[in-house]
Amino acid sequence: MRQFHALKVSRLQDETADSRRITFDIPAALRETFTFLPGQHLPIQVEIDGKRVRRTYSICSAPGVAPLEIGVRIQPGGQFSGFAAEVLREGDTLEVMPPFGQFHATLDARQEKTYLAFAAGSGITPILSIVRATLEQEAKSRFVLFYGNRRQRTTMFIDDLYALKNRFAERLQLYFVFSREEQEFPIFHGRLDADKVRELYRTFCVGLQPDEAFVCGPDTMIETVKAALEEAGMPGDAVHIERYGAPRKSVNKPAPQPAADDGLANITVIMDGHRKSFDMPHAGDSIVDAAAQHGIELPFSCKGGVCATCRTKVAAGEVRMDTNYGLEPWEVDKGFVLACQSHPISDSVTLDYDEA
Ligand code: FES
């Protein structure tokens, strides 16, 4: 069940001057619950000044070989990241939901694939987990990683990446690109915009025929890299994306609007085999907020349509979403929705949280 568990912070390390690595201690009884796929994230909840704050952070460690670790970039004025920088101490506990998310590698030791990754800033966090797990578990696969940052001193996980490069010298190509520091070779200076991605691809990926690509960064960088890779011949569904930060534009087609008459809709949620029902208006609050008003806590984190912690499947009826930045087109086609963005269209809706 997607509920919060109290996990002890066993280690806190400064990763750079403006980022921290948080390591959790997982009690034996929760090991299975906190099993994860490389690339997944953890919703975290904490009370700050009497207010409940939820954030979602990607896991940077690789499954099975290291403790559960996340990377947190300290944002000026950031509620959780400020707390993580100033208040959190080793030995404290945080409320953590089990790992979640569709941005992950599906690994198979028999595979021999070529993977690409583009990461910007703290977007390296899930990519580090994916690269490490892939190189460890698929002995014949190779990875090409392009990592953009402003400066070397604020580059997260740089030591981990160099260590991986040393371990897997033959199968990992690693390229850093810095936007605020001159480089000996101009190709490594600049931002990961369309021209830079084309130049990097032309220079370092010739003849590689990549099978899959993983892209994580801010919204504009994601769209730019995805378009450039498709232009280079990669099928759209081979390019996996994970955004961070607030999206700038909707990736949704216009949603159908609710019926003009606004009677109540009956919502049934199925979770862990149990059914609960409540009534709510067709317009106004989202299903997550309406459920909370009836004492039913549904999973959520960002409430912005990005993290997909609230993902559920419409088993019956119809809903409309305000925005969707967290679901892939195939998930929408299969009936998955973001409950934090959803409002009922039909008079009766059933949401199944047990459907993966
Ligand atoms: S809670 Fe993050 S997308 Fe709904």
Side-chain angles (χ1 to χ4, degrees):
M1 173 160 169
R2 274 189 270 158
Q3 65 181 28
F4 285 97
H5 300 269
L7 294 187
K8 190 154 119 185
V9 174
S10 58
R11 199 159 177 225
L12 263 178
Q13 287 168 273
D14 287 334
E15 185 53 42
T16 62
D18 64 353
S19 63
R20 298 198 102 182
R21 184 191 301 235
I22 301 175
T23 306
F24 293 104
D25 190 21
I26 312 292
L30 289 176
R31 295 255 159 86
E32 201 176 321
T33 307
F34 279 86
T35 302
F36 65 95
L37 294 169
Q40 289 191 308
H41 51 248
L42 295 176
I44 297 178
Q45 173 174 283
V46 69
E47 201 165 298
I48 301 173
D49 297 333
K51 223 177 109 196
R52 201 168 63 173
V53 174
R54 286 188 184 182
R55 293 290 183 271
T56 303
Y57 287 99
S58 292
I59 300 166
C60 59
S61 49
V65 294
L68 190 68
E69 294 181 330
I70 58 168
V72 177
R73 176 77 82 190
I74 313 302
Q75 305 287 354
Q79 272 189 302
F80 181 86
S81 67
F83 168 85
E86 306 290 339
V87 181
L88 189 65
R89 296 284 176 266
E90 289 180 358
D92 288 353
T93 55
L94 289 174
E95 295 290 311
V96 185
M97 205 181 273
F100 189 67
Q102 299 302 312
F103 180 75
H104 59 74
T106 306
L107 302 176
D108 181 336
R110 292 164 299 182
Q111 287 184 149
E112 182 174 356
K113 286 188 171 181
T114 297
Y115 300 94
L116 297 187
F118 286 82
S122 58
I124 191 63
T125 314
I127 299 281
L128 174 64
S129 178
I130 289 171
V131 173
R132 179 158 30 196
T134 303
L135 293 172
E136 283 171 346
Q137 293 179 34
E138 293 189 356
K140 293 184 195 154
S141 292
R142 56 184 300 121
F143 232 112
V144 186
L145 168 59
F146 301 98
Y147 182 16
N149 279 281
R150 290 181 182 164
R151 301 179 178 84
Q152 181 156 336
R153 68 180 161 79
T154 55
T155 299
M156 292 175 75
F157 305 120
I158 198 162
D159 292 341
D160 297 68
L161 291 166
Y162 280 131
L164 275 182
K165 177 66 188 158
N166 283 339
R167 245 177 102 192
F168 300 104
E170 300 292 312
R171 296 192 291 123
L172 174 61
Q173 288 171 246
L174 174 61
Y175 304 103
F176 294 97
V177 179
F178 297 105
S179 61
R180 304 239 176 124
E181 278 173 356
E182 291 300 326
Q183 301 297 303
E184 187 181 353
F185 300 101
I187 193 170
F188 299 123
H189 177 252
R191 301 179 61 224
L192 291 177
D193 58 17
D195 288 344
K196 183 60 71 184
V197 173
R198 282 192 209 106
E199 186 186 8
L200 291 167
Y201 192 93
R202 267 199 317 268
T203 308
F204 300 111
C205 302
V206 174
L208 280 185
Q209 296 182 328
D211 297 285
E212 291 180 64
F214 296 90
V215 186
C216 186
D219 198 42
T220 44
M221 172 266 190
I222 294 273
E223 297 304 328
T224 300
V225 174
K226 189 168 180 0
L229 292 178
E230 287 177 15
E231 183 188 299
M234 286 197 75
D237 60 2
V239 181
H240 313 288
I241 60 173
E242 176 97 320
R243 301 181 158 73
Y244 67 71
R248 296 192 188 173
K249 64 185 176 66
S250 173
V251 294
N252 246 0
K253 52 188 179 207
Q257 294 304 303
D261 107 62
D262 209 11
L264 295 179
N266 180 260
I267 312 293
T268 299
V269 294
I270 304 171
M271 209 179 269
D272 293 332
H274 299 292
R275 301 172 84 94
K276 288 182 183 167
S277 293
F278 61 95
D279 292 333
M280 68 176 285
H282 290 88
D285 289 332
S286 72
I287 290 177
V288 166
D289 287 336
Q293 288 158 21
H294 289 84
I296 299 172
E297 171 132 6
L298 300 178
F300 73 88
S301 181
C302 72
K303 283 197 185 177
V306 179
C307 72
T309 303
C310 60
R311 179 183 185 264
T312 182
K313 188 165 188 181
V314 179
E318 202 179 352
V319 306
R320 68 181 170 88
M321 283 192 282
D322 293 330
T323 56
N324 166 29
Y325 304 100
L327 298 177
E328 299 281 341
W330 70 264
E331 295 175 282
V332 176
D333 291 346
K334 286 196 157 193
F336 288 99
V337 294
L338 301 172
C340 80
Q341 299 298 312
S342 292
H343 309 266
I345 292 177
S346 52
D347 290 339
S348 167
V349 172
T350 302
L351 300 177
D352 190 347
Y353 283 82
D354 293 342
E355 276 276 343

